[in-house]
Amino acid sequence: MSLIVFTFFVACLVSLAVVPLVRLVCERIQLTDRPDGHRKLHQVPVALGGGIAAFISTLAVCSPIFLIWNRVGTTPVNSSEDLLGLLIAGTIILLVGVADDALGLRGRQKLLGQVIACSIPIIRGLVIQKFQLFGWTLDLGPLSAPATLLWLLAAVNAVNLLDGVNGLATMVGLVDCVAIALLSAVVGHQAHAVVAAAFAGSLLGFLRYNFPHAKLFLGDAGAMLIGMFVGILSIKSSLKGPGTVLLAAPLCLMALPLFDSTAAMMRRKLTGRSIFSGDRAHIQHRLTERFGGVRAVGIVSVSCGLTGAAALASIVWKNEMVAIISGAAIIALFVVSRLFGHAELHLLGTRVYATGASFFEYRPRKRAKKSSVRIQGSREWMQLWDTLTEAVEDLPVHKVELNVHAPMFQEGFHASWTRPASGPDDTWRFDLPLVVDGHRIGQIGFAGERSPELPRGNLECVLSLCEGLESQLAALFAEVAADETSIDVDSSGAPPIVQPSTAENGVPRPPHVALTKTEVQRTVPQGV
């Protein structure tokens, strides 16, 4: 244990010395993260290289230790093989991350690089052949390699998605690696405990330059590197026998990152976006909206510390229920308190209910069905949605779906409206992206029945409706950006009256006027 503590503090000191040098190099070669006013909202370009610094510091500390161990013959052969696989995989994932930070890889390209990196440990022998839960052992057989690959990919991307607030992914990696070092020491994997302690110390040294005000960002390279280390070492620290993993401890250790990544994929898929699309609706963004960045990091760090302690307790006490109940309780606390996860579960529940109900409907519905959920933010979207659905009642439309995704304003909203259609034979569908100031802030989709009298009239009706909606969104977000709008709400529940604001150049901005059915019908061609 003394060696583990010594390694941790030495790695921290080495990292404190390496980080400024890496930062200087990154700034000179222009490896920086530049604000874009959409998802990257920091004020000035910041160097990317925290992962490089942590990796160099870990190698600088671990290399002499393992060189001495190998000379005296105290490092087991299997540990050497595992650590070599971790070194190669870490190098590849670091290169993939640097390429993404510098060039901006597409989601599929980055996923391919992750698959290659995660395959290296598997080739070197890191395979989950069996996993054990509550005394029940499942032999994966030919699914061993795919299951291991899936776990490593999940860990890499789960931590990467958490990297949205200064210090958050670093703190998650630090807490998890400390827990893994203790777990490895308890089960007798001293070599893995040393590596985990060295990496944790390197992250602590980097944290000095990343939190609360960032002089150097972790970057995708660093976030994916943390996920790789945590994913591999959590398996090694939970081995009960050859290839047999006690599943409860790794799941508990990664409970919060996996919960966030799962919610992100559900949120994007259920709102009609690609799972590779970015947003600012992750757990760190939701917490930052309510408590600020520093407290958000503290809340997530404490939660990860609790799950790490529960994972350690489950191994020491040989009771998997401790890990499972603790991890589930942390997740449930976030959902019940509506801090995170409630909107995603609402989306999932609505979709499951609609799918299930479609199997049992024996009579056509006569009334329109509406559903909506605020994903994030504080703007009152329901008034806009109500006036929109009211406007389409007299149009040949039987489905409307609105998705607002505006990360620059921390706003997200999803709603759908459907009513019975006579049949699918003459049905058309129209999807239009909503763009404000050159940024796509959502999408609206329509489906309806084609009119035999004026075949083109349906499309013209929808286009006029979309134009009115988009202009209103532009005015609304202009008000949010300027923060100069005064909103008066009548006690009788009348729509809010928004006074027009004035831009910096003196040109008045358009007032926030509700979209009414009458105004829409004025733009609809006669005869429709």
Side-chain angles (χ1 to χ4, degrees), residues 194-397:
V194 168
V195 173
F199 192 59
S202 300
L203 292 176
L204 180 61
F206 163 70
L207 192 65
R208 163 67 177 79
Y209 298 90
N210 184 245
F211 182 78
H213 303 293
K215 299 178 181 178
L216 183 69
F217 280 163
L218 192 61
D220 277 359
M224 291 193 296
L225 182 68
I226 293 174
M228 179 68 73
F229 268 76
V230 172
I232 293 177
L233 294 176
S234 63
I235 294 176
K236 299 305 299 183
S237 64
S238 304
L239 286 175
K240 183 180 181 182
T244 303
V245 176
L246 298 175
L247 190 61
L251 285 178
C252 182
L253 196 65
M254 291 289 292
L256 209 56
L258 291 176
F259 174 51
D260 174 72
S261 59
T262 303
M265 288 190 290
M266 283 199 312
R267 180 175 62 248
R268 295 167 185 174
K269 189 66 177 177
L270 294 176
T271 55
R273 293 185 290 131
S274 168
I275 61 172
F276 296 111
S277 63
D279 58 28
R280 292 181 62 84
H282 293 279
I283 188 171
Q284 65 269 24
H285 302 123
R286 303 288 293 277
L287 292 175
T288 300
E289 291 175 21
R290 297 187 61 173
F291 305 108
V294 175
R295 291 183 179 179
V297 173
I299 292 172
V300 175
S301 300
V302 170
S303 300
C304 288
L306 292 175
T307 57
L312 179 61
S314 70
I315 295 295
V316 174
W317 296 338
K318 298 181 180 180
N319 188 344
E320 295 171 321
M321 286 296 294
V322 174
I324 297 298
I325 293 177
S326 300
I330 293 294
I331 292 174
L333 184 61
F334 277 94
V335 174
V336 172
S337 62
R338 299 200 173 193
L339 292 177
F340 180 75
H342 180 269
E344 288 77 4
L345 286 179
H346 182 87
L347 285 171
L348 180 62
T350 302
R351 179 65 60 86
V352 171
Y353 176 80
T355 303
S358 65
F359 287 99
F360 299 98
E361 286 184 351
Y362 60 93
R363 292 181 180 176
R365 290 183 290 107
K366 296 182 179 181
R367 295 182 179 180
K369 295 180 64 175
K370 295 173 62 175
S371 66
S372 62
V373 57
R374 182 196 302 279
I375 297 175
Q376 67 176 140
S378 58
R379 303 297 296 183
E380 292 299 330
W381 294 102
M382 284 308 301
Q383 178 185 340
L384 176 66
W385 175 240
D386 289 339
T387 54
L388 177 63
T389 54
E390 181 185 357
V392 301
E393 286 182 357
D394 295 336
L395 298 179
V397 173

Side-chain angles (χ1 to χ4, degrees), residues 408-409 434-441 470-471 473-475 477-478:
M408 74 286 275
F409 300 116
L434 300 172
V435 180
V436 173
D437 292 334
H439 296 295
R440 179 170 177 168
I441 55 93
E470 199 168 49
S471 64
L473 287 173
F477 283 122

